Amino acid sequence: MKTLLALFAVLALAGCASAEKTYLNNGEQGLTIDCSGEANDWATCYEKADASCAGTGYRIVGTDGTPQAKESEKTLGVDVGNYTSRSVLVVCK
């Protein structure tokens, strides 16, 4: 039972995006949103940006991420074992 609870906790955390305050070179305050992992996608980043900016909107300053695997690199059509990193830097309006 403890093992099952621990597994559930890890899976629940794997699907979360995180936002961290940062400052740009021009002094503007922004948010770095990390939505890495197989359970997330770019839409998760943008949903977290919208929620973090309290619906006021945001401007995308930059994005960074692991390129998507080629079909020949996948196992049975799934990218298994590769950690996908995604992050987006936004400034709230």
Side-chain angles (χ1 to χ4, degrees):
M1 184 65 164
K2 288 182 183 180
T3 305
L4 186 60
L5 272 167
L7 180 61
F8 179 71
V10 168
L11 290 175
L13 290 175
C16 297
S18 64
E20 185 176 307
K21 289 183 182 179
T22 188
Y23 288 92
L24 295 131
N25 290 340
N26 64 4
E28 260 185 310
Q29 184 176 354
L31 292 170
T32 300
I33 299 172
D34 180 22
C35 48
S36 300
E38 293 302 316
N40 293 319
D41 57 11
W42 285 105
T44 306
C45 283
Y46 303 130
E47 289 167 7
K48 182 67 174 183
D50 193 42
S52 297
C53 291
T56 61
Y58 57 90
R59 174 174 47 96
I60 297 173
V61 178
T63 59
D64 187 32
T66 305
Q68 189 169 3
K70 299 174 187 171
E71 286 300 317
S72 62
E73 297 171 346
K74 295 181 180 181
T75 305
L76 299 173
V78 179
D79 188 17
V80 178
N82 293 324
Y83 184 77
T84 305
S85 65
R86 277 178 221 91
S87 65
V88 63
L89 178 61
V90 301
V91 174
C92 296
K93 292 182 181 179

